Each structure stands twice: as C-alpha cells, then as structure tokens.
Amino acid sequence: MKNTIAERIADFIKMYPPFDNLPYNELYKLAEETRVIYLDKDETLYTQGKPPKEHFFIVNQGAIRIYRQEGEKTIEVEMCDEGDVLGLRPLIVNENYTLNAKAYEESIVYAIPIQNFNKQFENNSEVSKYLITRFASNSATRFSQEDNERIFADYKRTTNTDYFSSKISNLMTTAVCCNHKSTVQEAASIMSENKISSIFVLKKDKPAGVITNKDLLHKIATGKFTIDQNVKKIMSSPVISASPDISIAEAQIIMLKNKIGNVCVTKDGTPESKLLGMLTQQDIVASLSNNPAILLKQISRARTIPRLRDLRQQLNDLLTRFINQHISFTHTLTVVAELNETINQKAVEISIKELNKIPPVRFAFFALGSQGRKEQLVPTDQDNGIIFEDVPDDKLESIRAFFIELATVINKNLHSIGYEYCPAEMMASNPKWCLSKKEWEVQFKDWIFNPTEKNILLSAIFFDFNFVYGDKELVNDMTAIVHESTDDNNRFFMFMAKDALKSPSPLGFFRQFLVDQDGAHKDQFNIKQRALMPLIDAARILTLQHNLQGINNTAERYYKLRELEPQNAEIYEACAYAFKALLKFKTKNGLATLGEDDGKFIKLENLTKSDKVKLRRCFKPIKSIQEVITIRFQPTL
Amino acid sequence: MWNYIKKNIAYFLKKRHQPDYWKNYAESLKNIPTKSIEESKFVVFDCETSGLNPKEDRILSMGAVTIRGNTIDIKDNFEVYLEQDIFNRESVAIHGLLKKGKLKKVSEEQAIKNFLVYIEGAILVGHHISFDVACVNYALKRMGLPKLKNKVLDTGVLFKKTKHQLYAEAFTKVFSLDEVCDELKVKKKDRHTASGDAYITAIVFFKILGRLNRNNDLTLKELFFTPKMIY
C-alpha cells in the first residue's frame, strides 16, 4: 500500500547524514517503521540514567536542548537543530542515557527504531564512518578527559580509504604476556618493565584473560588479594578479541563498544585460538598521520617558510575534514586556532633568524582582529603590531627602524605562508603600529578619551590583541592600560555601544535576509558584517565593562558573561551558540570558495531551506543582545 | 401513527441484519469518555472528494493517521484510493487524482469497511470535519448502514479556542487549513492528498493541544466543550 507520509519522512531524512548517501528504497522501509513525536516546549524526550528505548531520534522541526545534570548543576552540551540525530550512542554502546534531552521550543521529532536501522545498515561503511565521527565529536564536546583521549581519533586525510580498508594486521604489535601459572607480582613486574598498562595471561598459546592497571588498583591495592596469588584470581576473562582481517574502523568500534583501550588479535578472532598480537588505541592514532598532535609537532620542527606554507595547507585540509565529519565546532575552533598561532610564532622565529640580527631591546609581536580573538579558521588578511620596551628618546627612532625592518620581513613571510597583506596597513611594518610601550599608552588613551568615529573603529580592532611572540609581559601591560582607562568610562562605552549597534538585526521586513544592494557582492548576504560583527562587538564591550582580562574568544567571552550575570544567562548562552553556528557557516563557505575571500559573502540561492532556518534562528540572539546593550549604555541619548 | 410503528419495525429489522463489521465497530465506541487525553486514541482523517456536495459527490481517496499519547506511528496509517463512478473535471486540478490512475484502487464498500475497522474506539479529528463525516455517512447510507457514531473534534473550532477572547473577530472567522498552518508554522507539503492533509492536520492538532494544555491539566471533557463566543 502506498504510504505518502512515509515518503515524506524519507524525503526529509534523506537530506541529512548519515542518511544522505543511502538508497531511497531502504530509507522508505525505515520511514515506514518510524514514529512521529510531538514535544511542547520543555517536554522531555529522554532522561539521564534511564535505559534507552528502542528508538533513536532525528529532529524534524524545532530544537532539542541536550544537557547533563551534575548534582545541582546543569551543563549545556548541545543544541540539536533540524536534521540532527540524537540518542544514538546509548543504543549502540548499550548503556543508559548519559544526558538529558528536552524540547527547547515546540518540536517534532522522528523516532527511528534501532533494530531496523541496524539490520539495514550494519554493513554500510558510510554509516559506520558517521557513527564513529559522531562519537568522536560527542566526546570532544563534553565528556571526561579520559573518554576523550580514548575515543578521539583522526582519520587519514580526506580519502578515508585506509581507515576502512586497511587491515589491523598491519598495525598490530607484539602482545606482552605472562603464563597462567605466574603470580600477580610477576605479572606486575613484567608490566612495569615494559611500561604498559595491561598484560595478557596465556594458557598454552591462547589468551585466557587480561590484567589491567585497574585490576591491580581495585583488587590488589585495596587488599582484596595479595600479590603472591595466582594471576587467574584477578584477571578479566574472556578477553575481547578480534580477527587480524578486520578493518581499523571495525577494531575501533569493538573498543568503543567494550570500553577498552586495546584489543587482542587472535588467529580466528575468538579467544579460543592462537594469540597473534594486540592493537591499542594509541597505535591507531599514531598510524594515521595528519592529526592535530602530529601536525603541531611538524610545525614546531619546521625550519623554512615554504615548509610552513605546506603545513598551513594541511591545516586547511584538517579543517575541511573536521567540518565534513561534524566534529564538535568548539573543538575544531580550539585546535585550529592553536595550530594557527604556532604557525605565526614559528614564522616570527624564522624571520628573526633570516634577518640575522639580535633585537636590541625586549619586544612583543601581537595579533589583532579575528586572529587575536582566536577565531580565524580560514586564513584572512594579517593584522598585527609590535610593542617594544621604553628607550631613551635619542635612541627611539633607530630602534624603531630596526623593528620595522624585522616586521617587514615577518609580514612578507606571513604573506608567502598564505596570509594576505592587510589593505588598511594594519601591520607591524607600518610605523604607526610599531611603537614603544609609552607610545602605545598615549595612543590607547587618545582613542579612549577622544572617541571619534575613526578612533572607536581602531579601538574595536586593536582591543582584541593577542600575544604571539616575544616578551609576554609587554602585552600584559598593554591590557592593563586599556582596562585602567576604560574602567567606569561611561562616555567611551556609550560610543562603543553606538558602534556595536550600527548593524541592526540582519532580517528585514517579511523576514527577508538583508543583502548587499550593489557592488561586486550584489545580492549576497554579508555574514561577517551583518551577523558576526554585532555579536563580536557586543561581547567586547561587555567584557571591557566587566574588566575581564585575557579572554579574547567571543564564545568564551559569552560563557564568562553568563557566569557573571545570571539574570541574562539565557541570552549569553544563545549568543555563544549563535556565534559558533554562524562562524561555522562562514567557515564552510570560506572553504568552498577558498582564495576568493574568507567566506563572508553568502549567496542566498546556494542555501538550502534548512540552512536558512538555522541562520534565522541565530539572528534572534543578535536582537536580544543589542537590546541589552541599548538599555545598559544608552547610546541613543 | 401507523407509519411511525412501521418505521420502528423497519429500524429493528435493519439493526438485526447489520453486518458483523458494523456491530464490532459500534461496540468499540462504548467507553471512550472516561479515558484521559494521553490514553485516548485519536484518528485524524481527511477525504479528497469529487466536489463539495456530500450527497452528490463521491470520495476519491481517504487518508488517516492514529495519535496515541503524543506519538504518530507511521506504520499504522490508513491510505486508500477509491474506484470512481462520478468524475468531476473541475476538481482534478486540486487533488490530481485521475479516473484511471496508476494507483491501486478499491471499491467504495471495501474502503468504508476498512475505515470502520481503523476507527474502532477512536475520536475522529479533522479540519472542518463535518464535511468529511457527511461524505462518509452518505457512503454508509448507500451501503444501508447508519451514520458514524464516533465523537468528533474539529481543528477549525479548536484553533479558535487557542485565541484569547479579546480577539473577537477570530470567533466569527472561518479558518482554512492553510491559514491555520501558516499561523502555527506547520510546513505545508503534500497539501491536497488525503494522507498529506491528514498528517498536516495531525501536526496542527498537536500544536493546538500544546497551546491549550500549557498548564498540563487539560481534560478530554474540556476539549469537547466549546465556550460561548463573545461577539
């Protein structure tokens, strides 16, 4: 019998991972078994600690808030939007729900039975790939550090082929074993000698059990057993084993399911056959190149600028992959910003060597704008400056000349790495931005106490500076100067607020997006100016008002503000979320149009309907935060 | 007087000869009002017809979904296409059902039989449902059976209840399904297919219940109670 509604559901889930690459008739079969659940605002979908039902969920309309309850505290984890899948992990790993899910607004959710899903897609590599990334991203956002390390894995570059086709026999290492007649003490000394955390107990050549650090802790150190007893008393058995012919991905699933860090490889995959070796989580991570840790190592070892350029290119690949695999965006942002900063540091270091002169006084090189806020994902133009120690007046110009020479080299090198020159000359090689500490102080005070339109604009750019290389104390002094002068300086805040409000809510009449009217980007939506800048500006002024030092990242600023002003917590929370979502949009777009611009112009016709809905949802907090600013600083008076 | 007695005898004779499926159906409807909203079975349904006259025109397709708790089970939906003896050129533009389409069709009698099984023990919900019920009733009459016995809720009326009494004009206005969808932000897809409309109406019904049940104390009785409108 024809089922129109099932078709509709299949049409919907087809648009989202992991369903997007699956055959339609399979999805239709799945859709027929689906349930549609309606949730009013604040109704619960599932509760922490309860065993999972037979369904996992995909959001059709509305938004579901995922949070964790820790005693009295609730910790926000994620907001699931249209097309997001939730509640899947507990079903796969077979554990209770570790999180709560509640409707953030009126929502419709499809409940998909896990049994049918498993039956139909168990052997589909696209689906298992999705599942693994999903788990990786989940763990990166919220769970304990331990969990994080264990699950977090980066797959080999963009192809993924190795991860899914390469057999684990290529990766496995010799297992460290002891005889089943040994005592606990003997086993522990073997472990200690080999610096490993687990040991297999062999009976003939078959693995009979395994002893881990945890067993030693819980069973020996607590005094339940003594060290001269037989290993059999404390070992866990049977062991989790795998055949040498399975893929790395499958091995990782096995580890995930059983919550173990290593798996023993036997001849036919059961514990009843010969032990061949073992495979640890670390082996997998180490074998797959281009993971952030390895990239970081390579950057710090780089000696030439061309090498840095290659690495910056690899960083782009890494970013693309993170985004495609739906790794948590917060995590992506941190990783990329960290690596970006290291590249910059290295570039300065190489430049100083290239110049072959020793800096005459202490100095610091700092970044401004998006890089200063650690929000730069796709390389944009460089904004930076230099501060050096106070020197006697007669020497000032000669020392400035030296730093300008150095800065010119740095700027050139950064340019060859892939950071465009700043069209507004906001670079350290510009004599205006290569100043001594005293001169910066004068400059900052001028901006703060003479808030003309231009000065406010410069304040907005410069007050997000972040230390890159040199003497960190100088930069800290600069921060102190800024905060000292802005403290309770209502006049300055008023002007800043006016500037922050200059781009009104990005939605026009009839909920249409406001697009550029003319110029090269006619009919495109400027996501940076219209949506990101209002959020960034608002965060800056509020942190200045609270005298918060050392937090530059906009999302982090909002999280901090949430703690300081519980009465506005909801708005700040929403702003942080919206900011991340918008930045992700910009980054995706920037990666797609790499080289043209950094992705700030979005062509509306390229957006899907659900993208538009998501964007719109992000605009609501902009309006709320602008209201907060208007009321607090009264810029219209 | 004689006529009246004759009529009564005819009625009892008829009742005795009612087919089993009708008796089962009638039996299933006996103890509904005692249940809560959560436990009740609602069937949201919609008919596409050849025109707007329930007496002359015929049902072309029927679609229905069942709501239990706040869940729709997709497996458990109802969708039939009927053989057409009365064909109306004008309405084809709306529903797109051809006289001899590719869809598998059943006779009117079979469709109604299946439908009666489907709505056993249920409260019927629909948008301007009196029209749909009238269509089914005429079909029942052609089969020599009485009218539908289910309790009925009209989302058109329920929607008005969500409005504050201050908005007096809302009470006199007749809301089309499209208008209600726009106001409740329900996506309109597959409009004017019986199943699609039934699904959309079910979502509308959910949203209305959500609005009426803000304090979590709505009873079934209140749902059927239509307050006196202030004009």
Side-chain angles (χ1 to χ4, degrees):
Chain A
M1 194 170 72
K2 187 173 139 67
N3 192 333
T4 315
I5 302 166
E7 276 172 23
R8 171 204 297 252
I9 290 171
D11 279 341
F12 175 79
I13 59 176
K14 192 180 68 189
M15 297 192 292
Y16 299 97
F19 307 104
D20 45 359
N21 290 318
L22 300 173
Y24 187 80
N25 54 343
E26 297 275 313
L27 288 180
Y28 180 78
K29 260 195 254 166
L30 198 60
E32 277 185 316
E33 304 293 324
T34 300
R35 286 178 172 186
V36 182
I37 297 176
Y38 169 83
L39 295 167
D40 201 1
K41 189 172 188 267
D42 289 334
E43 273 184 344
T44 307
L45 186 60
Y46 55 76
T47 316
Q48 193 173 335
K50 292 271 168 62
K53 299 160 192 159
E54 298 128 30
H55 300 87
F56 65 95
F57 308 96
I58 176 165
V59 183
N60 170 238
Q61 283 174 50
I64 306 285
R65 193 173 139 244
I66 311 271
Y67 64 96
R68 188 157 42 122
Q69 196 82 37
E70 269 183 12
E72 295 284 286
K73 266 198 334 200
T74 55
I75 295 159
E76 296 293 330
V77 174
E78 210 181 341
M79 190 74 86
C80 285
D81 242 323
E82 236 164 73
D84 285 341
V85 171
L86 59 153
L88 184 54
R89 186 188 152 96
L91 289 167
I92 301 270
V93 196
N94 230 333
E95 61 185 18
N96 287 353
Y97 284 120
T98 48
L99 299 158
N100 294 300
K102 240 183 194 181
Y104 178 71
E105 55 188 45
E106 200 176 35
S107 308
I108 291 168
V109 175
Y110 294 150
I112 300 171
I114 185 72
Q115 276 195 329
N116 300 58
F117 180 76
N118 270 348
K119 227 188 294 165
Q120 279 172 277
F121 304 117
E122 207 160 26
N123 298 320
N124 186 316
S125 72
E126 281 295 321
V127 171
S128 46
K129 172 177 139 198
Y130 172 82
L131 294 180
I132 298 160
T133 25
R134 191 61 205 176
F135 295 159
S137 70
N138 280 355
S139 63
T141 44
R142 49 180 183 224
F143 294 117
S144 60
Q145 211 52 37
E146 182 203 9
D147 225 10
N148 199 340
E149 270 168 38
R150 201 147 51 84
I151 300 169
F152 186 71
D154 291 283
Y155 324 120
K156 191 148 187 154
R157 302 196 79 157
T158 37
T159 53
N160 282 318
T161 45
D162 282 4
Y163 187 68
F164 292 102
S165 58
S166 173
K167 290 176 182 174
I168 57 169
S169 50
N170 301 330
L171 271 188
M172 86 192 174
T173 50
T174 327
V176 180
C177 317
C178 66
N179 194 282
H180 70 286
K181 284 174 189 152
S182 337
T183 63
V184 174
Q185 190 177 19
E186 281 163 4
S189 19
I190 297 175
M191 287 167 77
S192 159
E193 267 167 43
N194 290 287
K195 294 190 179 117
I196 49 159
S197 60
S198 61
I199 188 166
F200 291 102
V201 179
L202 280 191
K203 193 169 183 182
K204 285 184 187 159
D205 55 1
K206 293 167 194 158
V210 63
I211 297 173
T212 65
N213 277 350
K214 271 195 185 147
D215 293 320
L216 294 177
L217 170 67
H218 294 306
K219 295 171 186 165
I220 303 297
T222 53
K224 280 184 194 155
F225 299 92
T226 53
I227 53 170
D228 49 11
Q229 270 172 313
N230 188 284
V231 282
K232 275 191 209 153
K233 288 260 162 67
I234 67 163
M235 73 184 184
S236 322
S237 96
V239 294
I240 307 297
S241 58
S243 141
D245 295 329
I246 65 170
S247 71
I248 300 174
E250 285 171 275
Q252 199 154 29
I253 292 251
I254 292 178
M255 293 190 204
L256 262 172
K257 274 191 178 169
N258 296 294
K259 297 182 191 164
I260 49 173
N262 59 20
V263 62
C264 94
V265 184
T266 58
K267 204 169 176 190
D268 68 357
T270 65
E272 302 305 315
S273 61
K274 193 182 170 202
L275 178 75
L276 296 175
M278 67 173 183
L279 181 76
T280 67
Q281 192 75 40
Q282 284 92 327
D283 290 336
I284 295 178
V285 174
S287 74
L288 304 166
S289 66
N290 197 10
N291 85 38
I294 289 169
L295 198 55
L296 188 71
K297 222 175 245 172
Q298 285 173 325
I299 293 170
S300 49
R301 281 187 199 143
R303 288 211 199 100
T304 61
I305 293 297
R307 174 76 181 137
L308 276 181
R309 191 183 53 216
D310 288 348
L311 291 168
R312 171 70 237 197
Q313 194 51 47
Q314 280 192 30
L315 181 54
N316 274 350
D317 296 347
L318 182 88
L319 174 62
T320 317
R321 219 183 52 235
F322 269 31
I323 299 242
N324 288 342
Q325 294 177 336
H326 303 268
I327 303 274
S328 136
F329 194 65
T330 317
H331 181 73
T332 312
L333 200 59
T334 331
V335 167
V336 175
E338 208 53 55
L339 291 172
N340 209 357
E341 197 177 297
T342 321
I343 290 178
N344 272 277
Q345 275 169 2
K346 204 68 201 177
V348 178
E349 209 179 293
I350 293 174
S351 304
I352 294 175
K353 260 185 213 150
E354 218 172 277
L355 196 64
N356 207 6
K357 286 180 197 165
I358 297 157
V361 291
R362 292 193 300 141
F363 79 104
F365 183 84
F366 54 88
L368 307 166
S370 64
Q371 203 195 331
R373 286 190 304 271
K374 301 196 174 188
E375 287 159 12
Q376 193 184 64
L377 290 169
V378 183
T380 53
D381 46 0
Q382 37 175 312
D383 299 315
N384 42 47
I386 281 185
I387 178 173
F388 52 89
E389 216 177 353
D390 287 333
V391 289
D393 283 352
D394 53 326
K395 275 193 189 163
L396 181 65
E397 287 314 313
S398 66
I399 285 176
R400 193 198 315 282
F402 167 83
F403 282 114
I404 288 178
E405 195 188 345
L406 173 64
T408 317
V409 178
I410 297 173
N411 289 150
K412 192 196 84 209
N413 282 337
L414 285 174
H415 180 75
S416 23
I417 291 173
Y419 303 91
E420 290 298 317
Y421 287 125
C422 173
E425 295 273 325
M426 300 276 186
M427 293 185 293
S429 53
N430 183 341
K432 273 162 85 184
W433 317 127
C434 181
L435 305 177
S436 73
K437 192 176 144 192
K438 210 189 281 165
E439 287 171 314
W440 275 117
E441 189 170 345
V442 173
Q443 182 71 76
F444 279 155
K445 287 198 168 146
D446 177 45
W447 289 339
I448 293 168
F449 294 107
N450 299 312
T452 62
E453 202 173 315
K454 191 182 157 221
N455 284 351
I456 288 290
L457 192 68
L458 287 168
S459 311
I461 297 168
F462 273 87
F463 288 0
D464 289 333
F465 53 77
N466 187 42
F467 168 78
V468 174
Y469 184 89
D471 196 316
K472 196 162 186 178
E473 213 159 281
L474 289 167
V475 176
N476 289 347
D477 290 346
M478 260 166 65
T479 317
I481 295 168
V482 172
H483 283 273
E484 196 181 293
S485 321
T486 56
D487 197 19
D488 278 332
N489 187 340
N490 288 335
R491 186 157 159 269
F492 173 70
F493 284 134
M494 205 183 84
F495 280 96
M496 282 286 272
K498 202 168 181 176
D499 187 61
L501 297 177
K502 68 177 183 282
S503 307
S505 169
L507 286 182
F509 209 53
F510 295 124
R511 308 235 300 159
Q512 290 290 323
F513 289 85
L514 295 178
V515 293
D516 274 32
Q517 292 304 324
D518 42 38
H521 300 287
K522 192 175 184 299
D523 291 334
Q524 295 187 15
F525 179 70
N526 187 338
I527 191 172
K528 185 178 174 193
Q529 191 214 334
R530 288 269 180 210
L532 285 165
M533 285 319 282
L535 286 171
I536 295 169
D537 288 338
R540 183 188 305 113
I541 176 170
L542 288 165
T543 36
L544 276 176
Q545 193 215 6
H546 277 287
N547 228 333
L548 290 175
Q549 304 187 6
I551 305 175
N552 275 357
N553 187 283
T554 303
E556 276 169 32
R557 279 175 170 171
Y558 279 120
Y559 284 130
K560 191 75 196 168
L561 285 167
R562 183 183 63 178
E563 285 169 30
L564 292 171
E565 294 177 29
Q567 71 276 22
N568 287 332
E570 209 167 307
I571 296 178
Y572 294 144
E573 170 93 45
C575 283
Y577 172 72
F579 177 78
K580 283 192 280 181
L582 289 164
L583 189 58
K584 191 172 177 183
F585 259 107
K586 177 172 168 253
T587 309
K588 264 189 185 169
N589 194 42
L591 288 172
T593 59
L594 207 60
E596 290 169 39
D597 51 53
D598 57 343
K600 60 187 166 197
F601 291 103
I602 289 183
K603 289 192 183 108
L604 282 184
E605 69 254 38
N606 291 356
L607 291 180
T608 62
K609 180 86 173 88
S610 66
D611 279 345
K612 282 186 188 166
V613 172
K614 278 190 186 183
L615 269 179
R616 277 204 193 122
R617 201 194 302 284
C618 294
F619 296 157
K620 225 159 84 186
I622 298 181
K623 210 172 164 210
S624 319
I625 195 77
Q626 289 193 335
E627 279 165 13
V628 170
I629 299 270
T630 314
I631 293 164
R632 188 166 302 176
F633 302 108
Q634 309 276 329
T636 45
L637 290 181
Chain B
M1 178 68 185
W2 185 241
N3 268 347
Y4 176 74
I5 293 169
K6 217 162 122 186
K7 210 170 152 190
N8 260 338
I9 291 172
Y11 173 75
F12 281 110
L13 280 176
K14 224 176 182 179
K15 197 169 181 184
R16 197 190 295 164
H17 290 129
Q18 274 167 1
D20 284 344
Y21 62 84
W22 178 265
K23 283 178 189 159
N24 288 342
Y25 159 75
E27 188 65 28
S28 73
L29 287 166
K30 285 199 169 148
N31 54 358
I32 292 173
T34 50
K35 287 184 187 166
S36 71
I37 292 183
E38 277 282 297
E39 292 162 348
S40 300
K41 172 183 171 186
F42 295 95
V43 168
V44 186
F45 95 105
D46 186 70
C47 299
E48 290 301 316
T49 55
S50 59
L52 290 175
N53 183 344
K55 196 169 178 184
E56 301 297 328
D57 286 307
R58 292 292 187 268
I59 299 171
L60 305 179
S61 73
M62 300 174 78
V65 294
T66 305
I67 297 176
R68 272 196 194 82
N70 51 5
T71 308
I72 304 173
D73 213 333
I74 299 304
K75 207 171 27 180
D76 190 22
N77 90 328
F78 181 81
E79 187 165 345
V80 288
Y81 296 87
L82 277 67
E83 288 158 4
Q84 300 174 25
D85 4 303
I86 293 185
F87 187 70
N88 180 346
R89 281 171 183 283
E90 280 100 69
S91 66
V92 172
I94 297 173
H95 52 67
L97 292 173
L98 296 175
K99 210 167 168 182
K100 290 203 170 76
K102 281 178 199 156
L103 299 162
K104 195 180 163 242
K105 290 183 176 147
V106 297
S107 68
E108 183 177 81
E109 195 176 337
Q110 190 56 46
I112 296 292
K113 265 188 206 171
N114 292 350
F115 185 63
L116 287 178
V117 173
Y118 188 73
I119 61 174
E120 272 179 14
I123 299 167
L124 293 181
V125 181
H127 199 76
H128 300 156
I129 194 173
S130 47
F131 172 77
D132 302 85
V133 169
C135 291
V136 175
N137 282 344
Y138 275 104
L140 285 168
K141 196 173 179 187
R142 286 191 284 274
M143 294 160 67
L145 290 170
K147 291 179 179 177
L148 286 178
K149 289 170 177 285
N150 300 66
K151 286 210 167 216
V152 168
L153 284 169
D154 186 342
T155 46
V157 175
L158 288 176
F159 178 66
K160 290 182 191 177
K161 281 206 228 179
T162 67
K163 298 267 177 185
H164 194 273
Q165 293 221 329
L166 280 177
Y167 300 102
E169 76 275 8
F171 293 114
T172 48
K173 191 175 165 359
V174 175
F175 288 94
S176 73
L177 185 54
D178 287 302
E179 283 168 318
V180 173
C181 284
D182 287 341
E183 200 154 327
L184 295 175
K185 299 198 182 67
V186 175
K187 285 180 191 165
K188 289 179 288 186
K189 214 187 144 199
D190 303 325
R191 217 24 206 106
H192 297 297
T193 64
S195 261
D197 276 359
Y199 179 76
I200 290 169
T201 312
I203 300 293
V204 164
F205 183 61
F206 275 148
K207 294 207 167 185
I208 291 172
L209 279 188
R211 274 166 181 68
L212 291 177
N213 199 12
R214 277 281 135 85
N215 301 327
N216 265 328
D217 56 0
L218 188 74
T219 62
L220 206 54
K221 205 171 160 192
E222 281 169 328
L223 208 54
F224 284 105
F225 173 71
T226 311
K228 208 169 149 194
M229 308 285 180
I230 304 165
Y231 295 110

